Every structure is written in structure tokens, then in C-alpha cells.
């Protein structure tokens, strides 16, 4: 993804789920996403900047700190969320977290940094809801009408 070369960011899968997107970090409400209302109903990828995320030591957290790199005024943490998903998070030097600590990873709404969403496919749940087929199982095939919206990010 070209955006990975422009900014230091993480890309995570995001599925539309009613009022926001379900991600490995939890639910991200539509109002927290740049152009969120116009993207409602689409599945895709969230771009989360490294400095937009927070880490809190928490034995019930969804991640484990696997590496910490000192960058002068801040630390860059490598956090493993699942077997194949790692995130990079930058925190001020005053917030030091040891390697192998279990942490909660959050993307707080009060952070001034934008969350970008890149749609890849119309959400099957949104399609079923629009058709009134809420109780029907999802179909894996997409119609030709399911094209990505034009969004200027």
C-alpha cells in the first residue's frame, strides 16, 4: 500500500458492523473516521498511525509487547495482537513498557490524529440489511454493482 511509504502507519482489516467498523482493536465508531458517514456499509482496511494508538499494561489486554526501540524522544513498540498481526506504536519516553508485557491497545476518539479507511468491498451485512434480508446468510459473491465509492482522502 502506497500510504505505508508516506506515513508510519498500521493497516488492519475492518468489517462494517452497524455503527462502525470491527477491527482487531475492537469497534471504531463511524464518527471517529475521516469521511466515516460516506463510507458506512463498506468493509476494508483502517490506517492507524503509530502515534494515534495507546498502550496500557493490562493482563486481559489483546496484545503483547514483543520489542521496544528507543528513538530519542519516544519509544516505538512492536505489539503482537494475533499469530500474524503486529502493530507498531509510538509513545512518549515517559511511558515506558517492558518487553513481554500484556497490553490493551486503543485508538482513543480524543486523539487529534485522523483515522483513514480504505474500502475494498461492500459489506455483506449492509447489503442484506438494505434488502431487508437481515436473517438470510451472507453470500460470498459480489455483484458488478458493488464498486468502491470515490473518496478523496
Amino acid at each position: 500500500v502506497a500510504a505505508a511509504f508516506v506515513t508510519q502507519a498500521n493497516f488492519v482489516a475492518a468489517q462494517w458492523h452497524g455503527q462502525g467498523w470491527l477491527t482487531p482493536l475492537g469497534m471504531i465508531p463511524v464518527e471517529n473516521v475521516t469521511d466515516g458517514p460516506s463510507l458506512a456499509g463498506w468493509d476494508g482496511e483502517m490506517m492507524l498511525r503509530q502515534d494515534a494508538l495507546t498502550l496500557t499494561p493490562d493482563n486481559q489486554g489483546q496484545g503483547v509487547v514483543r520489542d521496544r526501540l528507543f528513538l530519542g524522544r519516544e519509544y516505538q513498540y512492536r505489539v503482537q495482537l494475533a499469530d500474524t498481526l503486529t502493530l507498531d506504536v509510538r509513545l512518549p519516553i515517559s511511558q515506558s513498557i517492558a518487553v513481554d508485557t500484556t497490553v490493551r491497545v486503543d485508538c482513543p476518539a480524543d486523539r487529534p490524529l485522523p483515522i483513514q479507511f480504505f474500502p475494498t468491498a461492500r459489506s455483506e451485512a449492509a447489503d442484506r440489511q438494505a434488502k431487508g434480508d437481515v436473517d438470510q446468510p451472507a453470500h460470498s459473491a459480489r455483484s458488478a454493482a458493488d464498486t468502491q465509492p470515490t473518496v478523496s482522502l
Side-chain angles (χ1 to χ4, degrees):
V1 174
F5 295 108
V6 177
T7 186
Q8 295 173 335
N10 300 285
F11 292 85
V12 298
Q15 291 184 313
W16 177 251
H17 198 267
Q19 299 297 313
W21 288 272
L22 188 58
T23 72
L25 302 178
M27 191 65 129
I28 297 181
V30 68
E31 61 270 8
N32 292 6
V33 177
T34 302
D35 295 327
S38 68
L39 299 168
W42 288 82
D43 293 339
E45 286 188 311
M46 287 286 170
M47 182 182 81
L48 307 169
R49 289 178 41 166
Q50 293 179 19
D51 50 353
L53 300 172
T54 61
L55 300 178
T56 306
D58 182 342
N59 289 334
Q60 304 301 315
Q62 75 272 47
V64 177
V65 174
R66 293 297 180 206
D67 193 23
R68 179 178 72 186
L69 178 63
F70 176 70
L71 300 175
R73 296 187 319 193
E74 60 190 3
Y75 284 113
Q76 179 183 41
Y77 293 90
R78 169 84 25 111
V79 179
Q80 184 173 1
L81 263 66
D83 289 339
T84 59
L85 179 62
T86 58
L87 299 175
D88 291 323
V89 179
R90 288 180 180 237
L91 297 176
I93 193 86
S94 60
Q95 190 176 354
S96 178
I97 300 173
V99 172
D100 293 327
T101 300
T102 301
V103 293
R104 185 179 70 244
V105 183
D106 292 306
C107 189
D110 63 349
R111 297 293 274 232
L113 302 171
I115 299 172
Q116 300 290 333
F117 177 74
F118 299 94
T120 57
R122 184 87 174 127
S123 167
E124 291 178 11
D127 285 346
R128 288 192 318 275
Q129 186 176 17
K131 294 175 185 174
D133 297 335
V134 178
D135 295 331
Q136 300 272 335
H139 301 286
S140 60
R142 301 272 178 207
S143 72
D146 291 335
T147 58
Q148 296 181 2
T150 303
V151 179
S152 52
L153 298 174

